[in-house]
Amino acid sequence: MAEGPRLTLSHWGAYQASGAGDAAGLTALREDPDPSPIGLAMWDAYRNGPRILRPAVRAGWLEHGPGRRSSARGREPFIEVPWEEAYALVARELRRVASTHGNAAIYGGSYGWASAGRFHHAQSQLRRFMSLIGGCTVHKNTYSYAAAQALLPHIVADMQGYLEINHTSWDVIAAHTRLFVAFGGLPWKNAQMSVGGATEHRLRDALSAAVANGCRFVYFSAVRDTHLPVSGCEWIALRPNTDTAVMLALACEIIRQGHQDRVFLDRYTAGYEQWERYLLGKDDGIVKDAAWAGPIAGVDPQRLRSLAADMAREVEGKRTMVNAAWSLQRADHGEQPFWAAIALAAVIGHIGLAGGGFGVGYGCENGIGSPHPLVRAGPRLPTSPNPVSRYIPVARITDMLERPGEQFDFDGRRLRYPDIRLVYWAGGNPFHHHQDLNRLLAAWHRPETIVVHEQVWNAHAKLADIVLPATSTLEREDIGFAYREPLIIAMRRLSESPGQALDDHEIFAGIAAKLGIAAQFTEGRTPREWLAVMWENWRSGLQVQGFTAPSFPQFWSDGSWRLPTASRPVVMLDAFRADPAGHPLATPSGRIEIFSSQIESFGYLDCPPQPTWLEPAEWLGGSRAARYPLHLLSDQPHTKLHSQLDFSALSRANKVRGREPVWIHPGDAAARGIADADVVRLFNDRGACLAGAVITDCITPGVLKLSTGAWWDPSEPGVAGSLDKHGNPNVLTRDRGTSSLGQGCSAQSCLVQLEKYEGAVPPITAFDLPQFAPERAAVP
Ligand SMILES: Nc1nc2c(c(=O)[nH]1)N[C@H]1C(S)=C(S)[C@@H](COP(=O)(O)OP(=O)(O)OC[C@H]3O[C@@H](n4cnc5c(=O)[nH]c(N)nc54)[C@H](O)[C@@H]3O)O[C@H]1N2
Ligand SMILES: Nc1nc2c(c(=O)[nH]1)N[C@H]1C(S)=C(S)[C@@H](COP(=O)(O)OP(=O)(O)OC[C@H]3O[C@@H](n4cnc5c(=O)[nH]c(N)nc54)[C@H](O)[C@@H]3O)O[C@H]1N2
Ligand SMILES: [Mo]
């Protein structure tokens, strides 16, 4: 088969191999108007980073067996073993746990972004493998937007299945939006990513085009968006977690000004009257107007009143767009700001029309607002259904490990936590993504065995019992696809695998062989044959949707396939707007539910049946602020994806004295005697970390910003509560569900204290390899 251009794809972009020998590297795709620098640093990082080279087993596990001395995780050396021995150990352990405790005692939720590429997608491989061995307990929903995933189907539409992939496209916004109000901003840094692979980074140009066309941008955030590429964007600083109060006030002012769209509310929504009573204070005597919200959010009420007046207007067919960033709902009661944003947009009445309505994620990922056509489901590795029905909402992992057998609420159901004996992870990093890591660490000692496929020696790998080294995308062939991206990429193998690292597929095939199910797992195909089968299956499905894709050999030799241009612009909910009876929503009323009887029937005090202001457990207006007076935001990092590539030159260049930078307002720094580039200590009852001070007026007084992604680097590995030397905010964040409805991650509700670090600054050890037991270290 002819070999085409040497391309690869990552979540942050498509790149081409360039140069040879010492000059070998990656260059951005010529067609990409605004490529991400993250990919340029990836070549060197994957080749010279702290990669895992051989299968490794924790010494105590190998010597004493599963369950013994599990509290020594992270504190014992590893013993490197040959692959055949590793396969046999994992196979025997899976068989033991399944036969003694049942398959539900295996947690294979394995949340995480893994890498681009549809065949080697680690979780797909894991799912296929697990379903063949009798299944496992899994997870539901995401860290990204679990509150939205639970709430939105009740009140408007499915988040992942409809809303996320049907945002009104940027070209329509440029032509038809006169006012764009963004809660959480439109962070360019986040739009570097598309899950599966961004191939055309469009946010910068999209914003420029809209502003050039006269669109006014106003954004509410505790931080100034330093990457906003256009002038003419207005920043309204607000206290974190108070967006709901601001949205209620904007709606209340529009109603008091008599500008609510009565026709829209009558025809397309349900339950408006009850919400209006709440906004106007008919029952509790509190009018939720600008004068009420101003002091809660720290915003000038007059600014809210005049913004409300502007939002209600439609001028010459140009409308108002209200957007909520996903960060808003990763907070205590995170369901409420999303519901309030949609109810506010309903009061304005522009939903379903070009340029107006609401967004739930512009700027969060590159694909949102894409003009490119939607093709259903990319090429997929076939998997059979999971034979085990048990699951948890994804962010309840510590609760599950701590409290087997206990009941909990989730989206109208009562569920019970399973008793997990074996944890299996491939393609995610819980010691990056989960909150309150000291609590997770203590719970992590409970399972008898932890198996991890990883590329790198991060904290997650160091805390496992059996570590199996996985390849990176540069070291394997694949098909790269993401929703509403224009290019499908034939991903080439561009680099040698380090040491004995193998593809996740090959690792599972090896274990499957020990279990006697290799033929079922691989179906006798090579990876290249799988790519061909996956492509051809997808291609015939595309034909039905009216797209003609090339054959696999043609695609492979061309190196990529460009989707045809979309036949019509995307306008979210346009069919519903045009014909609400013919295209009802999948909600109980078929309309947008401003009041939800279904949610009311659940009786959750932490998720009332209409958009409501509820004080977060931790915020600047609450009583806890007396002790911990600073609100910590842990946003997404701009130099990497989560914890991936934290060891790259790009990520390291952004650190301050080797630590993750923390943004501090000049007043907060002065009050604590902190100077720029000082090493500082952030702490609360849950933990403490060091970080590097960046003093800036791009942040509101009383707020700190420490992006996620710094590899957890505890001063005493394996010991809960020890100081993190590197700046991982999750030693500080609170591990509670958003509410009984969503049970999502609520990392953005977190108060801390800050001080200058006076002790001797400890060295960073996050990127060091673990200890290996000397006697067996020399496996060939
Ligand atoms: N405080 C706080 N915490 C947060 C958030 C926040 O805003 N604040 N955001 C949350 C959100 S939205 C998310 S999505 C999560 C992200 O959390 P994760 O998705 O878990 O984070 P990643 O660092 O992307 O983890 C992916 C891991 O998979 C490994 N990997 C990559 N490719 C492969 C592969 O092919 N095979 C194998 N075996 N491994 C591979 C990488 O080395 C890496 O360790 O974090 C959440 N945590
Ligand atoms: N470069 C890069 N891009 C990424 C990722 C990454 O790791 N790196 N991760 C990807 C993933 S998995 C996801 S889920 C998305 C996440 O997308 P988001 O959830 O939107 O991302 P964040 O960066 O956490 O937050 C966006 C902005 O909201 C602000 N903010 C936080 N809390 C509040 C609040 O209460 N009110 C208001 N008004 N603003 C608030 C933050 O300070 C930040 O400026 O990003 C994706 N894009
Ligand atoms: Mo996410």
Side-chain angles (χ1 to χ4, degrees):
M1 196 182 305
E3 290 289 332
R6 288 157 49 78
L7 302 183
T8 189
L9 183 65
S10 55
H11 298 304
W12 43 90
Y15 301 85
Q16 181 150 17
S18 61
D22 286 350
L26 298 172
T27 52
L29 216 60
R30 231 173 296 119
E31 299 97 302
D32 188 341
D34 187 20
S36 165
I38 297 173
L40 304 177
M42 134 175 104
W43 177 263
D44 193 52
Y46 282 132
R47 293 164 65 91
N48 301 312
R51 295 290 299 267
I52 302 168
L53 301 179
R54 284 173 284 274
V57 184
R58 179 169 63 84
W61 195 97
L62 196 60
E63 284 157 28
H64 307 287
R68 297 299 192 69
R69 295 180 28 188
S70 60
S71 64
R73 285 189 184 119
R75 291 193 281 131
E76 282 184 343
F78 282 95
I79 295 176
E80 295 184 318
V81 300
W83 270 114
E84 283 302 315
E85 186 176 345
Y87 292 149
L89 289 174
V90 175
R92 199 189 318 136
E93 185 55 5
L94 285 168
R95 203 181 262 141
R96 179 190 74 83
V97 172
S99 62
T100 348
H101 305 286
N103 278 67
I106 301 171
Y107 182 64
S110 186
Y111 181 81
W113 266 55
S115 290
R118 297 305 306 150
F119 174 65
H120 290 294
H121 180 242
Q123 282 82 4
S124 302
Q125 293 287 344
L126 174 63
R127 262 198 304 278
R128 179 176 170 86
F129 174 81
M130 284 293 171
S131 66
L132 291 175
I133 67 161
C136 61
T137 294
V138 294
H139 71 74
K140 265 214 166 57
N141 296 345
T142 62
Y143 275 79
S144 312
Y145 48 51
Q149 282 175 292
L151 172 73
L152 298 182
H154 293 292
I155 66 154
V156 52
D158 191 71
M159 176 68 186
Q160 215 160 19
Y162 178 78
L163 294 172
E164 180 178 358
I165 49 180
N166 284 292
H167 273 69
T168 298
S169 52
W170 283 113
D171 49 332
V172 176
I173 288 174
H176 297 283
T177 305
R178 53 171 291 279
L179 173 59
F180 195 114
V181 181
F183 290 88
L186 287 171
W188 167 86
K189 64 174 176 87
N190 290 355
Q192 289 177 102
M193 306 295 162
S194 271
V195 64
T199 58
E200 181 191 271
H201 291 88
R202 59 183 77 82
L203 183 65
R204 200 188 286 271
D205 288 350
L207 280 177
S208 305
V211 169
N213 222 13
C215 179
R216 176 185 176 205
F217 273 90
V218 178
Y219 71 99
F220 288 88
S221 178
V223 298
R224 179 186 282 279
D225 204 331
T226 49
H227 289 282
L228 267 186
V230 284
S231 59
C233 292
E234 295 158 54
W235 175 32
I236 304 186
L238 96 170
R239 279 192 182 138
N241 294 189
T242 62
D243 303 80
T244 303
V246 169
M247 292 165 179
L248 298 182
L250 291 168
C252 182
E253 294 294 344
I254 291 171
I255 294 163
R256 291 219 301 198
Q257 293 159 9
H259 292 148
Q260 72 272 39
D261 187 334
R262 289 210 170 79
V263 176
F264 183 85
L265 291 166
D266 281 351
R267 198 149 179 235
Y268 298 96
T269 72
Y272 168 72
E273 284 70 26
Q274 288 170 78
W275 197 49
E276 192 190 84
R277 286 188 67 81
Y278 168 70
L279 293 178
L280 299 178
K282 290 280 161 59
D283 300 317
D284 62 2
I286 301 168
V287 184
K288 314 301 179 299
D289 59 4
W292 165 81
I296 294 174
V299 178
D300 172 11
Q302 190 46 42
R303 229 172 154 182
L304 294 181
R305 272 180 224 114
S306 69
L307 182 63
D310 200 23
M311 287 173 89
R313 296 195 306 141
E314 175 176 334
V315 182
E316 293 163 3
K318 292 184 116 188
R319 311 191 169 89
T320 302
M321 179 67 79
V322 179
N323 185 54
W326 298 344
S327 56
L328 267 62
Q329 51 83 70
R330 287 199 303 283
D332 195 22
H333 311 306
E335 294 79 8
Q336 301 308 314
F338 266 45
W339 203 346
I342 292 165
L344 168 61
V347 165
I348 296 167
H350 300 172
I351 295 172
L353 301 178
F358 66 88
V360 279
Y362 284 110
C364 298
E365 268 187 46
N366 184 55
I368 293 175
S370 161
H372 296 295
L374 178 68
V375 296
R376 279 285 151 196
R380 290 183 57 223
L381 177 71
T383 55
S384 16
N386 181 15
V388 171
S389 60
R390 302 294 285 271
Y391 67 88
I392 57 164
V394 68
R396 303 278 46 84
I397 182 163
T398 300
D399 289 349
M400 170 182 78
L401 296 176
E402 278 177 353
R403 305 207 287 267
E406 239 178 65
Q407 292 194 336
F408 65 99
D409 288 307
F410 173 55
D411 198 7
R413 275 155 280 192
R414 206 99 236 272
L415 301 172
R416 202 182 281 281
Y417 290 120
D419 187 359
I420 297 301
R421 306 300 174 115
L422 187 152
V423 172
Y424 206 121
W425 225 289
N429 179 358
F431 289 90
H432 160 78
H433 66 229
H434 196 58
Q435 286 57 64
D436 199 349
L437 290 181
N438 289 306
R439 216 183 115 202
L440 174 62
L441 178 63
W444 207 246
H445 294 324
R446 300 184 71 126
E448 289 152 15
T449 296
I450 293 172
V451 184
V452 164
H453 297 196
E454 250 300 344
Q455 300 170 329
V456 282
W457 279 113
N458 56 17
H460 177 48
K462 287 174 181 170
L463 283 163
D465 297 322
I466 303 178
V467 182
L468 306 176
T471 52
S472 79
T473 44
L474 297 183
E475 297 139 21
R476 58 201 189 202
E477 294 180 347
D478 216 324
I479 299 170
F481 166 91
Y483 281 114
R484 291 217 189 256
E485 290 290 341
L487 280 180
I488 323 294
I489 305 282
M491 297 164 63
R492 290 304 198 289
R493 182 167 194 252
L494 301 178
S495 185
E496 295 292 311
S497 311
Q500 299 176 4
L502 296 177
D503 304 341
D504 295 286
H505 177 75
E506 198 172 345
I507 299 173
F508 284 122
I511 302 164
K514 300 287 179 199
L515 292 167
I517 52 166
Q520 290 94 309
F521 183 72
T522 65
E523 295 183 30
R525 296 192 182 107
T526 64
R528 175 77 72 93
E529 286 164 353
W530 271 111
L531 300 189
V533 167
M534 285 167 57
W535 179 271
E536 293 302 342
N537 286 345
W538 184 54
R539 187 172 168 235
S540 36
L542 281 177
Q543 202 72 48
V544 180
Q545 298 175 55
F547 298 98
T548 308
S551 68
F552 180 73
Q554 186 67 47
F555 164 66
W556 199 254
S557 72
D558 292 348
S560 63
W561 177 53
R562 182 173 284 278
L563 285 176
T565 351
S567 48
R568 62 188 193 101
V570 194
V571 174
M572 185 191 275
L573 297 172
D574 56 351
F576 167 64
R577 175 85 194 212
D579 179 9
H583 296 280
L585 301 177
T587 60
S589 60
R591 297 167 168 216
I592 296 173
E593 303 220 345
I594 297 178
F595 183 100
S596 163
S597 310
Q598 205 166 55
I599 293 177
E600 184 184 39
S601 75
F602 302 156
Y604 297 148
L605 294 178
D606 55 5
C607 188
Q610 60 183 355
T612 305
W613 163 248
L614 299 168
E615 277 195 39
E618 295 186 23
W619 71 299
L620 292 174
S623 56
R624 254 183 89 90
R627 185 138 171 246
Y628 296 114
L630 300 170
H631 194 120
L632 177 71
L633 295 178
S634 45
D635 67 334
Q636 309 291 350
H638 70 99
T639 55
K640 54 193 171 250
L641 172 71
H642 316 133
S643 72
Q644 297 194 39
L645 299 177
D646 189 32
F647 50 92
S648 73
L650 182 74
S651 172
R652 289 205 198 192
N654 181 53
K655 305 219 179 207
V656 175
R657 296 180 63 196
R659 278 133 249 266
E660 201 62 28
V662 56
W663 282 17
I664 310 169
H665 187 269
D668 294 321
R672 291 166 178 80
I674 293 167
D676 209 45
D678 273 351
V679 173
V680 293
R681 180 173 165 268
L682 285 71
F683 61 97
N684 61 20
D685 294 339
R686 294 178 287 263
C689 71
L690 301 184
V694 172
I695 298 175
T696 168
D697 58 10
C698 290
I699 192 151
T700 318
V703 183
L704 303 176
K705 179 175 87 84
L706 176 65
S707 300
T708 59
W711 283 14
W712 191 32
D713 196 8
S715 53
E716 290 176 75
V719 179
S722 72
L723 175 72
D724 165 44
K725 301 178 285 185
H726 194 194
N728 182 331
N730 278 327
V731 299
L732 301 160
T733 50
R734 180 174 163 274
D735 176 17
R736 287 282 298 279
T738 50
S739 80
S740 309
L741 189 90
Q743 291 288 11
C745 157
S746 63
Q748 307 306 337
S749 301
C750 174
L751 292 176
V752 301
Q753 183 51 290
L754 170 75
E755 64 184 16
K756 186 175 154 86
Y757 186 65
E758 300 287 2
V761 177
I764 299 291
T765 49
F767 306 121
D768 293 357
L769 303 183
Q771 294 292 312
F772 294 100
E775 64 270 26
R776 290 185 57 180
V779 174

